[in-house]
Amino acid sequence: MSLANGAPSFAELRTGIELALSGFLADQRTQLAEIGTELDPVSTSLTDYVLNGGKRLRPLFAYWGFRGAGGKADAAIIRACASLELIQACALIHDDVMDGSDTRRGFPAIHKRFATLHRDQGLSGASESFGISAAILLGDLALVWADKMFHTSTIESDALVRALPVLDEMRTEIMAGQYLDVLEQALASQSVERSLRVARLKSAKYTVERPLHLGAALAGADAPLFNSYSRYGMPLGEAFQLRDDILGVFGDPEETGKPAGDDLREGKRTVLIAAALERANGTQAAFIEQHLGRSTLGISDVINMREIIMETGAVGVVETMIEGGLASALNALEDSSIEPTARERLAELALAATRRRL
Amino acid sequence: MSLANGAPSFAELRTGIELALSGFLADQRTQLAEIGTELDPVSTSLTDYVLNGGKRLRPLFAYWGFRGAGGKADAAIIRACASLELIQACALIHDDVMDGSDTRRGFPAIHKRFATLHRDQGLSGASESFGISAAILLGDLALVWADKMFHTSTIESDALVRALPVLDEMRTEIMAGQYLDVLEQALASQSVERSLRVARLKSAKYTVERPLHLGAALAGADAPLFNSYSRYGMPLGEAFQLRDDILGVFGDPEETGKPAGDDLREGKRTVLIAAALERANGTQAAFIEQHLGRSTLGISDVINMREIIMETGAVGVVETMIEGGLASALNALEDSSIEPTARERLAELALAATRRRL
């Protein structure tokens, strides 16, 4: 497999990851159809959802984490890394239910899709409830299939057993992070420190550090490399989330795939919002608190909110934090034990992920 | 460990299983508290939920499946078997959200518990939504912790790798079964055959056959024993579910821990209901369809429904099916390769599970 070694581009790797996912999902679809053809919408929806876009960041970090530890990649490693996308599918499907988000990457969220199926087939009971039940179960199934894809990747048993504890920590952290995120919104928190803690769990650990550790564990790396990956991954993951915070308020819908100012409508307690509230005068703070989380927020409210957030200086503060995180991450890559091609690619990933041109 | 071999009673094994669960959960609680003390309600609720009763059927079948294959049990095996209770916790927590059930084993359901926490702490937003989000995440966490408990049970790597595919199938089947169950209710299905298929996935495979296979895989058993366990487990699991169907309509609340006729209120499309509808005359069928799934169903409605279901002869039909399933299960135990103590215990489990004196 040409992707296995050498210096594949991100686009080549993404294609490899997507082929692995579509192959796995086709097999599961066959298996579910043997149980009953009524399960076809389950496998079709999950397949569409997983294959419909996404930056594949976690598999990319896992792959380059493996290569950075000197591992010789093969198709089995690509499959093992790709399985992380199914954990992410679970997180996103359940997230959309919790947030009541109707779309994901421009397509209907899973709960919406099944509510529509319920209506179209004239089933009995409430369509919304059916959609939510289906989405809860499809999220669960995605989590189970992540395991299955990893277990059946045909990586060696030793590598498998070394990697399982990393997956366990990773998944505990993402669920804990999601709970704290929900709690922060309910607390209407305005602390930069508390928002950063959520960013550390949900983005830094889950998106960057743990995938790198997974790759390192698969390659049988020793402790110093795990540490280097943490020193690179944690500040980078934080910076990555901070970029997301800015895009969630200021991003172009054509680029983000979400309506303008969507984070404001959802009332997300991001570091950006916390920084704005910390710096705001009385009038500015009152305006933000009054409008944040209002689902009816129109484009002119979004523009007003943007202006006030700019005026507080919060954007500059967050941009400085992003630059600092990126610098720390690049600095950690100087660790000489990381294999040179991987080091180069990890530097590129750091730049791309924080400047969001990936 | 005295439970490890010899012929421990079900009560002794249950105590061993519960000790293993409480030890594991205490460790997770410490770990979550290190992330943030706001996670205390997460670990406390999950611990209470898992330790508050339950028949521990799946770990018992896994344990005796292991012993039946000639395995020498130790504390690691008890921990590995006990981890199945965390998969079940995920299924129940998510089930309660989907059904809108407020109680479980006489205590508030997880989503109710977190809605109360939200109200008591005067948090912002809707308490019900907070409760549902928390329950979705706690269910996910239970599923992740099931893996973690299994992986860290300290069973040997070979046994671990042999067992993973069984866990993958088991969890795919339960999620598929849950979806078909939700779909059957939405289809207002009245086919005995379709209801039986759900019972096969949710009860026969998930509760009996797969736990036995897990034990067999842990012990390194060969194909004929897996087959014997299927021939015992499938009819027994079906019979077990049919007993549940009868208890869901006719059971004593003091024994079932649920309000009288709870299945009728939830509108469950059980084999019992399907059999009643197949045999009902026009008036009886109309009465059943009119009342089934009405959440306001009072005790006098429940008594009327019970009478009509009795009159159709459906209870007799289902009791005959239970007896048939039990006989097939006991017959399969005659397979001489099952270790004698285990065979005896599996016969006792079959009787106890279908007569519900466990």
Side-chain angles (χ1 to χ4, degrees), chain A residues 31 35 38 94 98 114 123-124 133 137 140 145 147-148 151 168-169 171-172 178-179 183 186-187 194 197 201, chain B residues 31 35 38 94 98 114 123-124 133 137 140 145 147-148 151 168-169 171-172 178-179 183 186-187 194 197 201:
Chain A
Q31 195 198 341
I35 297 176
E38 303 95 317
H94 283 174
M98 297 189 291
F114 278 84
L123 302 180
S124 75
S133 294
L137 293 170
D140 291 347
W145 282 359
D147 269 8
K148 187 174 180 183
H151 298 156
D168 289 335
E169 291 319 299
R171 295 178 304 169
T172 299
Q178 292 278 60
Y179 177 81
L183 185 65
L187 287 167
R194 293 172 61 97
R197 187 180 54 168
L201 284 165
Chain B
Q31 195 199 341
I35 296 175
E38 302 95 319
H94 283 175
M98 297 188 293
F114 279 83
L123 301 181
S124 75
S133 295
L137 293 169
D140 292 346
W145 283 359
D147 269 6
K148 187 175 180 182
H151 299 156
D168 290 335
E169 292 317 300
R171 294 178 304 169
T172 299
Q178 293 278 62
Y179 177 80
L183 186 65
L187 288 168
R194 293 172 61 97
R197 188 181 54 168
L201 284 166

Short mmCIF file of all heavy atoms in Angstrom, two decimals, chain A residues 31 35 38 94 98 114 123-124 133 137 140 145 147-148 151 168-169 171-172 178-179 183 186-187 194 197 201, chain B residues 31 35 38 94 98 114 123-124 133 137 140 145 147-148 151 168-169 171-172 178-179 183 186-187 194 197 201:
data_model
loop_
_atom_site.label_atom_id
_atom_site.label_comp_id
_atom_site.label_asym_id
_atom_site.label_seq_id
_atom_site.Cartn_x
_atom_site.Cartn_y
_atom_site.Cartn_z
N GLN A 31 -23.99 -7.38 7.63
CA GLN A 31 -24.32 -8.12 8.84
C GLN A 31 -25.67 -7.69 9.42
O GLN A 31 -26.48 -8.53 9.82
CB GLN A 31 -23.21 -7.91 9.88
CG GLN A 31 -23.28 -8.93 11.01
CD GLN A 31 -22.50 -8.51 12.23
OE1 GLN A 31 -21.62 -7.65 12.16
NE2 GLN A 31 -22.82 -9.10 13.37
N ILE A 35 -29.70 -9.65 10.02
CA ILE A 35 -30.61 -9.62 11.18
C ILE A 35 -32.00 -9.19 10.73
O ILE A 35 -33.00 -9.78 11.11
CB ILE A 35 -30.08 -8.67 12.28
CG1 ILE A 35 -28.73 -9.16 12.84
CG2 ILE A 35 -31.11 -8.54 13.41
CD1 ILE A 35 -28.09 -8.23 13.85
N GLU A 38 -35.04 -4.14 8.01
CA GLU A 38 -35.46 -2.88 8.63
C GLU A 38 -34.28 -2.13 9.20
O GLU A 38 -34.40 -0.97 9.59
CB GLU A 38 -36.45 -3.11 9.78
CG GLU A 38 -37.69 -3.86 9.40
CD GLU A 38 -37.52 -5.33 9.71
OE1 GLU A 38 -36.43 -5.88 9.41
OE2 GLU A 38 -38.46 -5.92 10.24
N HIS A 94 -24.59 12.18 19.29
CA HIS A 94 -25.18 12.46 20.61
C HIS A 94 -25.17 13.96 20.91
O HIS A 94 -26.11 14.49 21.52
CB HIS A 94 -24.47 11.64 21.69
CG HIS A 94 -24.88 10.20 21.70
ND1 HIS A 94 -24.30 9.25 22.49
CD2 HIS A 94 -25.85 9.55 20.99
CE1 HIS A 94 -24.88 8.07 22.27
NE2 HIS A 94 -25.81 8.23 21.37
N MET A 98 -28.23 16.45 22.03
CA MET A 98 -28.18 17.27 23.24
C MET A 98 -28.37 18.75 22.95
O MET A 98 -29.03 19.46 23.69
CB MET A 98 -26.86 17.01 23.98
CG MET A 98 -26.72 15.57 24.45
SD MET A 98 -25.29 15.28 25.54
CE MET A 98 -23.94 15.50 24.41
N PHE A 114 -34.12 10.49 11.11
CA PHE A 114 -35.04 9.42 11.53
C PHE A 114 -36.43 9.96 11.87
O PHE A 114 -37.42 9.24 11.74
CB PHE A 114 -34.43 8.59 12.66
CG PHE A 114 -33.47 7.56 12.15
CD1 PHE A 114 -32.14 7.89 11.89
CD2 PHE A 114 -33.89 6.28 11.87
CE1 PHE A 114 -31.26 6.95 11.37
CE2 PHE A 114 -33.03 5.33 11.35
CZ PHE A 114 -31.71 5.66 11.10
N LEU A 123 -45.49 6.24 10.60
CA LEU A 123 -45.44 5.37 11.79
C LEU A 123 -46.22 6.01 12.94
O LEU A 123 -46.51 7.20 12.92
CB LEU A 123 -43.98 5.12 12.18
CG LEU A 123 -43.10 4.48 11.10
CD1 LEU A 123 -41.69 4.28 11.62
CD2 LEU A 123 -43.69 3.14 10.66
N SER A 124 -46.53 5.19 13.95
CA SER A 124 -47.32 5.74 15.06
C SER A 124 -46.41 6.32 16.15
O SER A 124 -45.24 5.98 16.26
CB SER A 124 -48.27 4.69 15.62
OG SER A 124 -47.57 3.75 16.38
N SER A 133 -34.66 8.68 19.78
CA SER A 133 -34.32 7.31 20.18
C SER A 133 -33.36 6.68 19.18
O SER A 133 -32.36 6.06 19.56
CB SER A 133 -35.58 6.45 20.27
OG SER A 133 -36.41 6.90 21.31
N LEU A 137 -29.38 5.41 19.80
CA LEU A 137 -28.92 4.05 19.50
C LEU A 137 -27.85 4.04 18.40
O LEU A 137 -26.90 3.27 18.48
CB LEU A 137 -30.11 3.18 19.10
CG LEU A 137 -31.09 2.92 20.25
CD1 LEU A 137 -32.36 2.26 19.75
CD2 LEU A 137 -30.43 2.06 21.34
N ASP A 140 -24.64 4.96 20.01
CA ASP A 140 -24.12 3.80 20.75
C ASP A 140 -23.47 2.80 19.79
O ASP A 140 -22.39 2.27 20.06
CB ASP A 140 -25.25 3.10 21.51
CG ASP A 140 -25.80 3.93 22.66
OD1 ASP A 140 -25.17 4.94 23.03
OD2 ASP A 140 -26.88 3.56 23.19
N TRP A 145 -18.94 0.02 17.13
CA TRP A 145 -18.26 -0.29 15.86
C TRP A 145 -16.85 0.28 15.84
O TRP A 145 -15.98 -0.26 15.14
CB TRP A 145 -19.10 0.22 14.68
CG TRP A 145 -20.26 -0.68 14.36
CD1 TRP A 145 -20.58 -1.86 14.99
CD2 TRP A 145 -21.23 -0.50 13.33
NE1 TRP A 145 -21.70 -2.41 14.41
CE2 TRP A 145 -22.12 -1.61 13.39
CE3 TRP A 145 -21.46 0.47 12.36
CZ2 TRP A 145 -23.21 -1.75 12.52
CZ3 TRP A 145 -22.53 0.32 11.49
CH2 TRP A 145 -23.40 -0.78 11.57
N ASP A 147 -14.84 0.19 18.32
CA ASP A 147 -14.12 -0.93 18.93
C ASP A 147 -13.92 -2.06 17.95
O ASP A 147 -12.82 -2.60 17.80
CB ASP A 147 -14.94 -1.50 20.10
CG ASP A 147 -14.61 -0.84 21.40
OD1 ASP A 147 -13.86 0.15 21.39
OD2 ASP A 147 -15.10 -1.32 22.44
N LYS A 148 -15.01 -2.42 17.29
CA LYS A 148 -14.96 -3.57 16.39
C LYS A 148 -13.97 -3.32 15.25
O LYS A 148 -13.20 -4.21 14.89
CB LYS A 148 -16.36 -3.84 15.83
CG LYS A 148 -16.44 -5.11 15.03
CD LYS A 148 -17.86 -5.42 14.61
CE LYS A 148 -17.89 -6.70 13.80
NZ LYS A 148 -19.26 -7.01 13.32
N HIS A 151 -10.54 -3.66 16.71
CA HIS A 151 -10.21 -5.05 17.04
C HIS A 151 -9.97 -5.91 15.80
O HIS A 151 -9.18 -6.84 15.83
CB HIS A 151 -11.36 -5.70 17.84
CG HIS A 151 -11.62 -5.05 19.15
ND1 HIS A 151 -12.83 -5.13 19.80
CD2 HIS A 151 -10.85 -4.29 19.95
CE1 HIS A 151 -12.79 -4.45 20.92
NE2 HIS A 151 -11.59 -3.93 21.04
N ASP A 168 -9.16 3.58 26.16
CA ASP A 168 -10.03 3.70 27.34
C ASP A 168 -9.93 5.09 27.96
O ASP A 168 -10.94 5.69 28.32
CB ASP A 168 -9.65 2.63 28.38
CG ASP A 168 -10.04 1.23 27.94
OD1 ASP A 168 -10.97 1.11 27.11
OD2 ASP A 168 -9.41 0.26 28.40
N GLU A 169 -8.71 5.60 28.08
CA GLU A 169 -8.54 6.93 28.67
C GLU A 169 -9.16 7.99 27.77
O GLU A 169 -9.86 8.89 28.21
CB GLU A 169 -7.05 7.26 28.88
CG GLU A 169 -6.39 6.43 29.97
CD GLU A 169 -7.26 6.24 31.18
OE1 GLU A 169 -7.62 7.26 31.81
OE2 GLU A 169 -7.60 5.08 31.51
N ARG A 171 -11.57 7.80 25.65
CA ARG A 171 -13.03 7.82 25.61
C ARG A 171 -13.62 8.29 26.94
O ARG A 171 -14.67 8.93 26.98
CB ARG A 171 -13.55 6.45 25.20
CG ARG A 171 -13.14 6.13 23.75
CD ARG A 171 -13.60 4.77 23.31
NE ARG A 171 -13.10 3.74 24.23
CZ ARG A 171 -13.51 2.49 24.23
NH1 ARG A 171 -14.41 2.10 23.35
NH2 ARG A 171 -13.00 1.63 25.07
N THR A 172 -12.94 7.97 28.04
CA THR A 172 -13.40 8.50 29.33
C THR A 172 -13.28 10.02 29.32
O THR A 172 -14.20 10.73 29.76
CB THR A 172 -12.56 7.91 30.49
OG1 THR A 172 -12.71 6.49 30.50
CG2 THR A 172 -13.00 8.48 31.83
N GLN A 178 -17.45 16.26 27.63
CA GLN A 178 -18.79 16.60 27.15
C GLN A 178 -19.70 16.98 28.32
O GLN A 178 -20.48 17.92 28.23
CB GLN A 178 -19.42 15.41 26.41
CG GLN A 178 -18.74 15.05 25.10
CD GLN A 178 -19.21 15.93 23.95
OE1 GLN A 178 -19.06 17.14 23.99
NE2 GLN A 178 -19.75 15.31 22.92
N TYR A 179 -19.61 16.21 29.41
CA TYR A 179 -20.45 16.52 30.57
C TYR A 179 -20.09 17.90 31.13
O TYR A 179 -20.97 18.72 31.42
CB TYR A 179 -20.31 15.46 31.66
CG TYR A 179 -21.13 15.81 32.89
CD1 TYR A 179 -22.51 15.56 32.94
CD2 TYR A 179 -20.54 16.43 34.00
CE1 TYR A 179 -23.26 15.93 34.03
CE2 TYR A 179 -21.30 16.80 35.10
CZ TYR A 179 -22.66 16.54 35.12
OH TYR A 179 -23.41 16.91 36.21
N LEU A 183 -22.41 21.16 31.53
CA LEU A 183 -22.52 21.80 32.85
C LEU A 183 -22.12 23.27 32.79
O LEU A 183 -22.78 24.13 33.40
CB LEU A 183 -21.63 21.05 33.85
CG LEU A 183 -21.72 21.49 35.31
CD1 LEU A 183 -23.11 21.22 35.89
CD2 LEU A 183 -20.67 20.78 36.16
N ALA A 186 -24.89 25.26 31.59
CA ALA A 186 -25.96 25.38 32.60
C ALA A 186 -25.54 26.32 33.74
O ALA A 186 -26.37 26.95 34.38
CB ALA A 186 -26.32 24.00 33.15
N LEU A 187 -24.22 26.39 33.99
CA LEU A 187 -23.72 27.30 35.03
C LEU A 187 -23.61 28.72 34.49
O LEU A 187 -23.35 29.66 35.24
CB LEU A 187 -22.32 26.86 35.50
CG LEU A 187 -22.23 25.62 36.37
CD1 LEU A 187 -20.78 25.16 36.48
CD2 LEU A 187 -22.80 25.89 37.76
N ARG A 194 -12.05 27.93 33.45
CA ARG A 194 -12.97 26.79 33.36
C ARG A 194 -13.25 26.41 31.91
O ARG A 194 -13.34 25.23 31.57
CB ARG A 194 -14.28 27.10 34.08
CG ARG A 194 -14.10 27.25 35.60
CD ARG A 194 -15.38 27.75 36.24
NE ARG A 194 -16.45 26.81 36.03
CZ ARG A 194 -16.82 25.89 36.91
NH1 ARG A 194 -16.19 25.79 38.06
NH2 ARG A 194 -17.81 25.08 36.65
N ARG A 197 -10.40 24.40 30.61
CA ARG A 197 -10.36 23.02 31.07
C ARG A 197 -11.18 22.11 30.14
O ARG A 197 -10.76 21.01 29.78
CB ARG A 197 -10.87 22.92 32.50
CG ARG A 197 -10.69 21.53 33.07
CD ARG A 197 -11.19 21.45 34.48
NE ARG A 197 -12.58 21.89 34.54
CZ ARG A 197 -13.37 21.72 35.58
NH1 ARG A 197 -12.89 21.16 36.67
NH2 ARG A 197 -14.60 22.14 35.57
N LEU A 201 -9.86 18.94 27.66
CA LEU A 201 -10.37 17.57 27.60
C LEU A 201 -10.91 17.24 26.22
O LEU A 201 -10.63 16.19 25.65
CB LEU A 201 -11.51 17.38 28.61
CG LEU A 201 -11.10 17.23 30.07
CD1 LEU A 201 -12.31 17.43 30.96
CD2 LEU A 201 -10.50 15.86 30.31
N GLN B 31 -10.45 8.90 39.62
CA GLN B 31 -9.90 9.45 38.39
C GLN B 31 -10.71 10.65 37.89
O GLN B 31 -10.14 11.67 37.50
CB GLN B 31 -9.85 8.36 37.32
CG GLN B 31 -8.95 8.75 36.14
CD GLN B 31 -9.23 7.94 34.89
OE1 GLN B 31 -9.83 6.87 34.96
NE2 GLN B 31 -8.80 8.46 33.76
N ILE B 35 -9.97 15.07 37.43
CA ILE B 35 -10.28 15.99 36.32
C ILE B 35 -11.05 17.19 36.86
O ILE B 35 -10.78 18.33 36.49
CB ILE B 35 -11.11 15.26 35.22
CG1 ILE B 35 -10.29 14.14 34.58
CG2 ILE B 35 -11.58 16.25 34.16
CD1 ILE B 35 -11.05 13.30 33.57
N GLU B 38 -16.60 18.61 39.91
CA GLU B 38 -17.96 18.69 39.36
C GLU B 38 -18.38 17.37 38.75
O GLU B 38 -19.56 17.19 38.41
CB GLU B 38 -18.06 19.75 38.26
CG GLU B 38 -17.68 21.14 38.67
CD GLU B 38 -16.23 21.40 38.31
OE1 GLU B 38 -15.40 20.48 38.50
OE2 GLU B 38 -15.93 22.50 37.83
N HIS B 94 -30.00 4.53 28.73
CA HIS B 94 -30.49 5.07 27.45
C HIS B 94 -31.94 4.65 27.20
O HIS B 94 -32.74 5.43 26.67
CB HIS B 94 -29.57 4.64 26.31
CG HIS B 94 -28.28 5.43 26.26
ND1 HIS B 94 -27.26 5.17 25.39
CD2 HIS B 94 -27.88 6.51 26.98
CE1 HIS B 94 -26.27 6.05 25.59
NE2 HIS B 94 -26.63 6.85 26.56
N MET B 98 -35.22 6.97 26.33
CA MET B 98 -36.05 6.74 25.15
C MET B 98 -37.52 6.50 25.51
O MET B 98 -38.41 6.98 24.84
CB MET B 98 -35.49 5.57 24.33
CG MET B 98 -34.09 5.86 23.80
SD MET B 98 -33.45 4.62 22.65
CE MET B 98 -33.27 3.20 23.71
N PHE B 114 -30.54 13.86 37.30
CA PHE B 114 -29.79 15.04 36.89
C PHE B 114 -30.71 16.24 36.63
O PHE B 114 -30.29 17.39 36.79
CB PHE B 114 -28.89 14.72 35.69
CG PHE B 114 -27.61 14.06 36.13
CD1 PHE B 114 -27.56 12.69 36.38
CD2 PHE B 114 -26.47 14.82 36.36
CE1 PHE B 114 -26.39 12.09 36.82
CE2 PHE B 114 -25.29 14.22 36.79
CZ PHE B 114 -25.25 12.85 37.03
N LEU B 123 -29.57 25.93 38.23
CA LEU B 123 -28.78 26.16 37.03
C LEU B 123 -29.66 26.78 35.94
O LEU B 123 -30.88 26.73 36.02
CB LEU B 123 -28.16 24.85 36.54
CG LEU B 123 -27.23 24.15 37.54
CD1 LEU B 123 -26.65 22.88 36.94
CD2 LEU B 123 -26.09 25.07 37.97
N SER B 124 -29.01 27.33 34.90
CA SER B 124 -29.81 27.97 33.86
C SER B 124 -30.15 26.99 32.74
O SER B 124 -29.50 25.96 32.57
CB SER B 124 -29.10 29.20 33.30
OG SER B 124 -28.04 28.82 32.48
N SER B 133 -29.40 15.19 28.60
CA SER B 133 -28.01 15.25 28.13
C SER B 133 -27.10 14.46 29.06
O SER B 133 -26.24 13.69 28.61
CB SER B 133 -27.53 16.71 28.08
OG SER B 133 -28.25 17.42 27.11
N LEU B 137 -24.82 11.01 28.19
CA LEU B 137 -23.38 10.93 28.43
C LEU B 137 -23.02 9.86 29.46
O LEU B 137 -22.01 9.18 29.32
CB LEU B 137 -22.85 12.30 28.85
CG LEU B 137 -22.91 13.35 27.74
CD1 LEU B 137 -22.62 14.74 28.29
CD2 LEU B 137 -21.96 13.00 26.60
N ASP B 140 -23.12 6.57 27.74
CA ASP B 140 -21.90 6.42 26.94
C ASP B 140 -20.71 6.04 27.83
O ASP B 140 -19.91 5.16 27.48
CB ASP B 140 -21.55 7.73 26.21
CG ASP B 140 -22.56 8.08 25.12
OD1 ASP B 140 -23.37 7.22 24.73
OD2 ASP B 140 -22.54 9.24 24.65
N TRP B 145 -16.67 2.38 30.16
CA TRP B 145 -16.13 1.75 31.37
C TRP B 145 -16.27 0.23 31.34
O TRP B 145 -15.48 -0.48 31.97
CB TRP B 145 -16.78 2.35 32.61
CG TRP B 145 -16.22 3.71 32.95
CD1 TRP B 145 -15.22 4.38 32.29
CD2 TRP B 145 -16.60 4.56 34.04
NE1 TRP B 145 -14.97 5.59 32.90
CE2 TRP B 145 -15.78 5.73 33.98
CE3 TRP B 145 -17.54 4.45 35.06
CZ2 TRP B 145 -15.90 6.77 34.90
CZ3 TRP B 145 -17.65 5.49 35.98
CH2 TRP B 145 -16.84 6.64 35.90
N ASP B 147 -15.76 -1.59 28.75
CA ASP B 147 -14.51 -1.95 28.07
C ASP B 147 -13.32 -1.87 29.00
O ASP B 147 -12.50 -2.77 29.07
CB ASP B 147 -14.24 -0.96 26.93
CG ASP B 147 -14.83 -1.41 25.62
OD1 ASP B 147 -15.55 -2.43 25.62
OD2 ASP B 147 -14.58 -0.75 24.61
N LYS B 148 -13.24 -0.75 29.70
CA LYS B 148 -12.08 -0.51 30.56
C LYS B 148 -11.99 -1.57 31.66
O LYS B 148 -10.91 -2.07 31.96
CB LYS B 148 -12.17 0.89 31.17
CG LYS B 148 -10.93 1.29 31.94
CD LYS B 148 -11.00 2.72 32.42
CE LYS B 148 -9.74 3.08 33.19
NZ LYS B 148 -9.79 4.46 33.71
N HIS B 151 -10.81 -4.72 30.00
CA HIS B 151 -9.39 -4.64 29.61
C HIS B 151 -8.45 -4.68 30.81
O HIS B 151 -7.33 -5.16 30.69
CB HIS B 151 -9.11 -3.34 28.84
CG HIS B 151 -9.89 -3.21 27.57
ND1 HIS B 151 -10.17 -2.00 26.99
CD2 HIS B 151 -10.46 -4.14 26.76
CE1 HIS B 151 -10.87 -2.19 25.88
NE2 HIS B 151 -11.07 -3.46 25.72
N ASP B 168 -17.88 -7.67 20.79
CA ASP B 168 -18.28 -6.82 19.66
C ASP B 168 -19.63 -7.28 19.09
O ASP B 168 -20.50 -6.46 18.82
CB ASP B 168 -17.21 -6.85 18.56
CG ASP B 168 -15.94 -6.11 18.97
OD1 ASP B 168 -16.03 -5.22 19.83
OD2 ASP B 168 -14.86 -6.43 18.44
N GLU B 169 -19.78 -8.60 18.91
CA GLU B 169 -21.05 -9.10 18.37
C GLU B 169 -22.19 -8.82 19.34
O GLU B 169 -23.27 -8.39 18.97
CB GLU B 169 -20.98 -10.61 18.10
CG GLU B 169 -20.04 -10.98 16.97
CD GLU B 169 -20.16 -10.05 15.77
OE1 GLU B 169 -21.26 -9.97 15.19
OE2 GLU B 169 -19.15 -9.40 15.43
N ARG B 171 -22.57 -6.54 21.57
CA ARG B 171 -22.99 -5.14 21.67
C ARG B 171 -23.65 -4.65 20.39
O ARG B 171 -24.58 -3.84 20.44
CB ARG B 171 -21.78 -4.28 22.07
CG ARG B 171 -21.30 -4.65 23.49
CD ARG B 171 -20.08 -3.84 23.89
NE ARG B 171 -19.01 -4.00 22.92
CZ ARG B 171 -17.91 -3.27 22.89
NH1 ARG B 171 -17.74 -2.32 23.80
NH2 ARG B 171 -16.98 -3.49 21.99
N THR B 172 -23.21 -5.17 19.25
CA THR B 172 -23.91 -4.83 18.01
C THR B 172 -25.34 -5.36 18.07
O THR B 172 -26.30 -4.67 17.71
CB THR B 172 -23.18 -5.44 16.79
OG1 THR B 172 -21.86 -4.90 16.73
CG2 THR B 172 -23.91 -5.14 15.49
N GLN B 178 -32.40 -3.13 20.21
CA GLN B 178 -33.07 -1.95 20.78
C GLN B 178 -33.74 -1.14 19.67
O GLN B 178 -34.85 -0.66 19.82
CB GLN B 178 -32.06 -1.05 21.50
CG GLN B 178 -31.45 -1.65 22.76
CD GLN B 178 -32.35 -1.49 23.96
OE1 GLN B 178 -33.46 -2.00 24.00
NE2 GLN B 178 -31.88 -0.78 24.97
N TYR B 179 -33.03 -0.99 18.54
CA TYR B 179 -33.61 -0.22 17.44
C TYR B 179 -34.87 -0.91 16.92
O TYR B 179 -35.90 -0.28 16.71
CB TYR B 179 -32.60 -0.02 16.30
CG TYR B 179 -33.22 0.72 15.13
CD1 TYR B 179 -33.35 2.10 15.14
CD2 TYR B 179 -33.72 0.02 14.03
CE1 TYR B 179 -33.96 2.78 14.09
CE2 TYR B 179 -34.33 0.69 12.97
CZ TYR B 179 -34.45 2.07 13.01
OH TYR B 179 -35.06 2.73 11.97
N LEU B 183 -38.65 0.42 16.77
CA LEU B 183 -39.36 0.41 15.48
C LEU B 183 -40.66 -0.38 15.57
O LEU B 183 -41.69 0.05 15.04
CB LEU B 183 -38.44 -0.20 14.41
CG LEU B 183 -38.96 -0.18 12.97
CD1 LEU B 183 -39.10 1.25 12.46
CD2 LEU B 183 -38.04 -0.98 12.05
N ALA B 186 -43.27 1.70 16.97
CA ALA B 186 -43.72 2.72 16.02
C ALA B 186 -44.56 2.10 14.90
O ALA B 186 -45.44 2.75 14.33
CB ALA B 186 -42.53 3.47 15.44
N LEU B 187 -44.29 0.82 14.59
CA LEU B 187 -45.08 0.13 13.56
C LEU B 187 -46.39 -0.38 14.14
O LEU B 187 -47.24 -0.86 13.41
CB LEU B 187 -44.30 -1.07 13.00
CG LEU B 187 -43.11 -0.78 12.08
CD1 LEU B 187 -42.28 -2.05 11.87
CD2 LEU B 187 -43.59 -0.25 10.74
N ARG B 194 -42.43 -11.30 14.62
CA ARG B 194 -41.58 -10.12 14.71
C ARG B 194 -41.21 -9.80 16.14
O ARG B 194 -40.08 -9.42 16.44
CB ARG B 194 -42.28 -8.93 14.06
CG ARG B 194 -42.46 -9.08 12.54
CD ARG B 194 -43.32 -7.96 11.99
NE ARG B 194 -42.69 -6.68 12.22
CZ ARG B 194 -41.94 -6.05 11.31
NH1 ARG B 194 -41.77 -6.58 10.13
NH2 ARG B 194 -41.40 -4.89 11.59
N ARG B 197 -38.45 -12.03 17.22
CA ARG B 197 -37.13 -11.68 16.72
C ARG B 197 -36.44 -10.67 17.64
O ARG B 197 -35.25 -10.78 17.93
CB ARG B 197 -37.24 -11.11 15.30
CG ARG B 197 -35.89 -10.91 14.65
CD ARG B 197 -36.01 -10.34 13.27
NE ARG B 197 -36.81 -9.11 13.31
CZ ARG B 197 -36.91 -8.25 12.30
NH1 ARG B 197 -36.29 -8.50 11.18
NH2 ARG B 197 -37.64 -7.18 12.41
N LEU B 201 -32.91 -11.17 19.93
CA LEU B 201 -31.72 -10.30 19.97
C LEU B 201 -31.48 -9.75 21.36
O LEU B 201 -30.37 -9.75 21.87
CB LEU B 201 -31.90 -9.12 19.00
CG LEU B 201 -31.71 -9.41 17.52
CD1 LEU B 201 -32.26 -8.25 16.70
CD2 LEU B 201 -30.23 -9.61 17.21
#
